[in-house]
């Protein structure tokens, strides 16, 4: 499906991690624009609530309870969506986890939890999606990483590492799948108000709502380009921190470590 067709609300979208936060807000927005949106998460009750919210919208929201760490279930889910609706034109791989971890109390288990869900869960979705979209000769895949994947930040040695891995993976896939008609996009949000970030006890600069994040993502998917990053000012600051020398970087960011 072409970018123009998606921008006019046609086609089938699949969003993981859609029971709350960015995934929930994006599903509602795409359904308002007329898309048929399959939403996945482990919490089936919340997905059903989301389905009910979309009853009067132009498009449709279809709940699909799924644990993306169950590889066989993911493969079955992708096949099922295609069998029922004909294709997957847009996939937003949004499911993820964030657990703050102070490096002075380092826990390998916390790193494993992030890598399992954020990286391997995304990978389990990517494998059948890429196979499908290569057969279709078209499709758009958006991988939700984070601006924290740019460089190391306090309390994010586990989370940031997993998001840095997704950034690198998305860059590789963008290069390698373009000739197959697959448009791979990278989403790098800053701080977004969600049930996950509500647990944070530290200051979150330039915090945006899930609805604002969803609008930024939807608009970015319609435009040309690779990376969708927001909010604007924080993204520019993080972009600068990404390229400055280590000595200056550690001096500036080190002030945040207590």
């Amino acid at each position: 499906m072409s970018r123009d067709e998606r921008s006019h609300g046609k086609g089938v979208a699949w969003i993981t991690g859609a029971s709350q936060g960015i995934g929930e807000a994006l599903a509602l927005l795409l359904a308002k624009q007329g898309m048929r949106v399959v939403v996945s998460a482990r919490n089936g009750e919340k997905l059903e609530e989301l389905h009910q919210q979309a009853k009067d919208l132009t498009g449709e929201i279809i709940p699909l309870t799924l644990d993306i760490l169950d590889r066989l279930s993911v493969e079955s889910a992708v096949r099922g969506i295609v069998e029922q609706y004909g294709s997957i034109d847009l996939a937003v791989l949004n499911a993820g986890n964030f657990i703050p971890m102070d490096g002075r109390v380092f826990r390998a288990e916390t790193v494993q939890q992030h890598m399992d869900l954020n990286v391997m869960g995304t990978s389990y979705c990517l494998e059948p999606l890429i196979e499908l979209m290569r057969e279709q000769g078209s499709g758009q895949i958006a991988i939700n990483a984070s601006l924290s994947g740019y460089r190391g930040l306090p309390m994010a040695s586990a989370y940031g590492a997993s998001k840095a891995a997704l950034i690198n993976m998305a860059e590789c896939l963008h290069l390698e799948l373009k000739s197959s008609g697959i448009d791979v996009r990278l989403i790098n949000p800053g701080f977004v108000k969600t049930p996950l970030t509500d647990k944070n006890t530290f200051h979150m600069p330039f915090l945006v709502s899930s609805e604002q994040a969803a609008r930024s993502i939807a608009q970015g998917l319609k435009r040309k380009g690779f990376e969708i990053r927001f909010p604007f000012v924080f993204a520019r600051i993080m972009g600068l921190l990404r390229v400055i020398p280590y000595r200056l970087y550690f001096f500036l960011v080190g002030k945040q470590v207590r």
Side-chain angles (χ1 to χ4, degrees):
M1 172 167 287
S2 71
R3 186 182 300 111
D4 287 341
E5 287 175 312
R6 280 192 297 270
S7 69
H8 286 87
K10 300 177 182 178
V12 178
W14 178 38
I15 303 176
T16 66
S19 62
Q20 61 184 13
I22 294 174
E24 177 186 26
L26 182 61
L28 288 169
L29 181 56
L30 294 180
K32 285 178 184 176
Q33 295 175 353
M35 291 197 80
R36 174 175 283 153
V37 187
V38 179
V39 290
S40 292
R42 289 176 296 181
N43 192 323
E45 290 183 6
K46 286 191 175 182
L47 294 179
E48 182 58 35
E49 290 174 7
L50 186 56
H51 168 69
Q52 295 300 324
Q53 287 183 58
K55 284 288 190 180
D56 297 325
L57 300 181
T58 306
E60 182 183 6
I61 288 182
I62 303 105
L64 175 60
T65 306
L66 178 68
D67 181 355
I68 64 167
L69 290 180
D70 185 336
R71 185 173 188 168
L72 294 179
S73 293
V74 171
E75 293 173 355
S76 177
V78 171
R79 286 196 304 270
I81 295 169
V82 176
E83 288 171 3
Q84 189 160 3
Y85 303 111
S87 67
I88 298 176
D89 305 296
L90 166 65
V92 181
L93 305 182
N94 169 72
N97 194 16
F98 170 59
I99 305 170
M101 184 176 73
D102 189 326
R104 291 164 291 196
V105 192
F106 191 90
R107 295 288 181 268
E109 181 182 1
T110 302
V111 179
Q112 184 72 61
Q113 287 175 308
H114 284 84
M115 292 299 177
D116 283 347
L117 182 56
N118 297 357
V119 180
M120 292 312 302
T122 297
S123 299
Y124 292 152
C125 296
L126 281 167
E127 184 173 337
L129 279 171
I130 290 171
E131 181 180 359
L132 165 69
M133 290 183 179
R134 289 190 69 195
E135 291 175 359
Q136 292 178 172
S138 66
Q140 189 175 47
I141 300 173
I143 297 173
N144 195 3
S146 169
L147 291 173
S148 68
Y150 278 7
R151 294 195 88 158
L153 296 172
M155 304 299 292
S157 53
Y159 178 76
S162 70
K163 294 302 186 175
L166 290 179
I167 290 172
N168 188 283
M169 183 185 294
E171 291 170 349
C172 296
L173 293 176
H174 181 80
L175 289 168
E176 294 165 339
L177 297 178
K178 188 175 182 179
S179 62
S180 298
I182 303 173
D183 178 22
V184 176
R185 300 294 188 91
L186 173 65
I187 303 169
N188 279 328
F191 291 108
V192 180
K193 183 172 174 55
T194 69
L196 281 178
T197 58
D198 284 344
K199 300 175 184 177
N200 292 342
T201 57
F202 56 86
H203 174 62
M204 293 178 285
F206 303 100
L207 182 70
V208 299
S209 68
S210 296
E211 290 73 22
Q212 288 173 301
R215 287 194 294 271
S216 295
I217 293 169
Q219 291 166 4
L221 291 173
K222 294 175 187 176
R223 294 193 293 261
K224 294 181 179 180
F226 168 64
E227 183 183 23
I228 303 166
R229 64 181 191 177
F230 56 88
F232 177 78
V233 175
F234 189 54
R236 292 295 296 270
I237 292 171
M238 290 301 299
L240 177 62
L241 289 176
R242 194 181 193 186
V243 299
I244 62 176
Y246 275 119
R247 179 176 293 184
L248 180 56
Y249 170 75
F250 287 136
F251 172 75
L252 293 173
V253 179
K255 295 179 179 181
Q256 306 303 315
V257 179
R258 298 188 178 125

